[in-house]
Amino acid sequence: MCGPLLCTDRGIIDNYKNYIDMLQNYVPILIFLAIALVIGVVPLIAGMLLSKRVPEVAKDSPYECGFEAFEDSRGRFDVRYYLVAILFIIFDLEIAFLFPWAVALRDIGIPGLLAMAFFLTILTIGFIYEWKKGALNWD
Amino acid sequence: MMSYWYAIPELYRDLFVTSVLIVIFLLALMGAVAYVTFAERKIIGYMQVRIGPNRVGPRGWLQPIADALKLLTKEMILPSKSSHFLFRIAPVLSIVPALGAWAVIPLTEGVQFSNINAGLLYVLALTSMGVYGVIVAGWASNSKYALLGALRSAAQIVSYEIAMGFALVGVLIASGSLNLTDIVNAQAGGITHWYWLPLLPLFMVYLISGVAETNRAPFDVAEGESEIVAGFHVEYSGMGFAVFFLAEYANIILISALTALLFMGGWLSPFEGYAALLSIPYVGVHLFEFFSLILKIPFVDVLLGAGPHWFFIKTSFIIFCFLWFRATFPRYRYDQIMRLGWKVLIPVTLVWIFVEGVAIAMQVGPWFD
């Protein structure tokens, strides 16, 4: 019986080889990301080298409608953005829980379904509470 | 010459070949991205009874190259009040995830750089990273418009990512695998077996979320010109702007490719699974004769069968839809966008996941076995 990582009928060495095989699949991804990084950086460097920089006070100031900026732009902003961020974390975690469950659902059957239904019910109650509290309103 | 090549250890040879292939692939992708911008201007042009760019090269075909050269030589302004380091790396943070996710995308069975088990998880992780580019750019610019645009974009992207994640959970339940090749193969059996039909609500949710994730019209309040100019990249010029621009279109291509893989059968042929028609009395005989005639033409059997060309056609179709949406729909208001994401799409996906989970666990339904 061989899982994605461990084979129950093999020794430690073979399992280790299995693990290394799995890691080897990620080597092209590492190279890919490195080359993607290069392809992202090269145009910027080329742009810096090829373009002429003529600094000027008005040009280098933050974009405004012809005014000097009154204050630092990093001021206060609406609390609802924080709220969205917090709700996002909760729901994203939920998705992280759902992913392995969804893949394994065929194997775990009805007990697995009930366990997740219980979890989702609690979350849905929380979601309804947020909704009723008006955390999702933007007007 | 060849003897030198074989004198190099096999590992280094493999790494070298892989790197060269990756460079070729990514450059081709960048070319595709450039030409999606051209396609957008042309398609929207014709939809608005104009002809779009037609001056540079034959029928305007060199327009993207001219744009790239122009932006390359434009001054890159570094705002005096900005955080210089963050301001410079933000475009890179934006484009690397959009390109990097392609490492696991299969063009056809077996043609991909890495066939990992957690393929979809990797794609989801990388596309989530894209929001950092937006946030960092908005913050580093130290400009009111940029910050407001970044906040709007970020809140919108994370909101729709939840709906998108739930839609993906539905695909995972139906396919039972995170591996993109397995997900496509699980859809085998003809056009009605592709997940767009059995998972129709999730397909709609995914498509809408995809448009919102990439900040495209009609969900493009982040760069609503009439409100906050260009949004988070208002302070960028020259190549800095170009890289953000490329990242946006690279994301469109990525989302379209994912939609094609997850919901439209990837490289599978739409002509699959109609063998039953041949057993219909009388008509079947004629159909059989017709097809045996057609298949005598060279390459037709290859074109009608599964292959990367179907993947490209499906991806192109969804890209076309993205452009079509922009030409058709008026812009949503921000509160409407957030309401749609949280109060419509998330409940829809939750209900559908529940229905689908019950169907799978009870082993009912023709689609879920």
Side-chain angles (χ1 to χ4, degrees):
Chain A
M1 172 62 192
C2 255
L5 279 183
L6 290 177
C7 297
T8 44
D9 51 356
R10 286 195 202 163
I12 289 174
I13 302 284
D14 284 337
N15 269 325
Y16 180 70
K17 278 182 188 153
N18 200 0
Y19 181 63
I20 294 295
D21 279 350
M22 188 211 73
L23 277 188
Q24 270 178 355
N25 278 332
Y26 284 83
V27 173
I29 294 185
L30 202 63
I31 303 174
F32 200 101
L33 284 176
I35 294 176
L37 187 69
V38 171
I39 287 191
V41 170
V42 163
L44 290 173
I45 293 176
M48 281 179 202
L49 294 180
L50 289 176
S51 65
K52 204 159 57 171
R53 231 176 102 54
V54 189
E56 207 263 324
V57 179
K59 194 201 282 172
D60 289 354
S61 66
Y63 178 86
E64 283 282 350
C65 317
F67 289 101
E68 296 274 318
F70 297 136
E71 53 191 357
D72 195 66
S73 61
R74 291 163 183 168
R76 286 178 288 180
F77 51 82
D78 200 328
V79 70
R80 278 180 295 203
Y81 290 111
Y82 291 102
L83 210 52
V84 166
I86 293 167
L87 292 180
F88 165 69
I89 290 175
I90 298 167
F91 276 91
D92 217 33
L93 272 177
E94 187 183 341
I95 291 168
F97 280 132
L98 279 171
F99 261 43
W101 169 82
V103 173
L105 185 59
R106 261 160 240 264
D107 303 324
I108 56 182
I110 292 175
L113 180 75
L114 291 179
M116 192 46 88
F118 182 64
F119 173 67
L120 277 185
T121 309
I122 295 174
L123 257 157
T124 309
I125 293 170
F127 186 59
I128 294 169
Y129 177 74
E130 283 158 23
W131 192 320
K132 293 288 173 212
K133 272 283 177 186
L136 307 176
N137 288 342
W138 278 81
D139 41 19
Chain B
M1 190 63 201
M2 287 310 271
S3 60
Y4 284 121
W5 173 245
Y6 286 110
I8 307 169
E10 196 186 347
L11 176 67
Y12 295 119
R13 263 186 288 154
D14 281 357
L15 288 181
F16 179 75
V17 170
T18 311
S19 308
V20 170
L21 288 177
I22 291 172
V23 170
I24 292 172
F25 179 80
L26 281 177
L27 289 179
L29 187 64
M30 294 301 273
V33 168
Y35 273 90
V36 169
T37 67
F38 178 64
E40 170 165 48
R41 295 170 69 178
K42 272 288 185 191
I43 288 170
I44 293 182
Y46 278 107
M47 284 180 176
Q48 295 169 343
V49 207
R50 303 181 280 118
I51 48 174
N54 68 339
R55 284 284 175 259
V56 190
R59 290 176 167 268
W61 274 91
L62 298 179
Q63 184 70 43
I65 296 165
D67 286 342
L69 288 177
K70 182 197 76 178
L71 285 166
L72 198 61
T73 53
K74 287 282 176 187
E75 177 173 358
M76 289 173 74
I77 297 170
L78 191 63
S80 47
K81 284 189 174 175
S82 65
S83 314
H84 292 190
F85 176 68
L86 290 178
F87 189 82
R88 285 205 175 99
I89 63 163
V92 181
L93 287 181
S94 192
I95 197 163
V96 169
L99 297 178
W102 281 89
V104 297
I105 304 274
L107 301 181
T108 180
E109 178 120 36
V111 181
Q112 73 204 93
F113 286 104
S114 182
N115 189 7
I116 54 173
N117 283 326
L120 193 58
L121 197 61
Y122 170 81
V123 171
L124 196 70
L126 271 196
T127 48
S128 306
M129 299 281 284
V131 74
Y132 283 108
V134 173
I135 282 275
V136 169
W139 180 259
S141 298
N142 203 351
S143 152
K144 282 221 169 74
Y145 291 101
L147 186 66
L148 286 174
L151 286 173
R152 282 186 176 194
S153 282
Q156 176 183 335
I157 291 173
V158 297
S159 297
Y160 279 84
E161 202 173 297
I162 296 167
M164 187 179 245
F166 277 136
L168 292 183
V169 169
V171 173
L172 295 183
I173 296 177
S175 66
S177 174
L178 273 164
N179 181 302
L180 288 165
T181 308
D182 290 350
I183 291 175
V184 171
N185 284 333
Q187 300 176 54
I191 201 164
T192 52
H193 289 246
W194 300 350
Y195 288 150
W196 69 271
L197 189 59
L199 305 179
L200 189 60
L202 296 183
F203 174 58
M204 300 310 295
V205 168
Y206 186 83
L207 203 57
I208 295 169
S209 309
V211 178
E213 278 271 297
T214 47
N215 277 324
R216 294 284 301 177
F219 304 110
D220 61 342
V221 285
E223 44 192 282
E225 295 89 345
S226 51
E227 302 165 27
I228 47 174
V229 251
F232 63 91
H233 60 247
V234 65
E235 299 290 347
Y236 284 85
S237 60
M239 257 345 219
F241 166 75
V243 170
F244 271 120
F245 195 68
L246 291 176
E248 180 183 332
Y249 285 85
N251 268 322
I252 292 176
I253 299 183
L254 179 66
I255 294 279
S256 306
L258 281 174
T259 314
L261 285 175
L262 301 176
F263 291 98
M264 297 173 78
W267 56 83
L268 299 176
S269 162
F271 298 108
E272 197 185 329
Y274 289 101
L277 289 180
L278 298 182
S279 59
I280 304 172
Y282 190 68
V283 181
V285 181
H286 289 282
L287 274 178
F288 182 76
E289 278 172 3
F290 175 70
F291 278 113
S292 25
L293 261 179
I294 289 236
L295 291 176
K296 273 181 191 148
I297 307 168
F299 300 118
V300 164
D301 53 337
V302 179
L303 288 178
L304 292 184
H309 55 288
W310 288 115
F311 179 52
F312 290 127
I313 290 170
K314 290 166 188 172
T315 308
S316 311
F317 173 70
I318 305 198
I319 294 173
F320 176 76
C321 288
F322 268 75
L323 310 181
W324 194 2
F325 294 156
R326 179 166 170 200
T328 310
F329 296 126
R331 186 176 289 144
Y332 268 77
R333 229 170 40 220
Y334 196 67
D335 61 307
Q336 293 172 325
I337 291 180
M338 297 309 264
R339 190 183 67 210
L340 179 68
W342 287 95
K343 295 190 176 176
V344 180
L345 299 187
I346 291 179
V348 165
T349 46
L350 274 175
V351 169
W352 194 256
I353 285 174
F354 182 73
V355 170
E356 206 189 335
V358 170
I360 291 270
M362 304 279 181
Q363 300 178 340
V364 292
W367 298 314
F368 302 134
D369 44 18

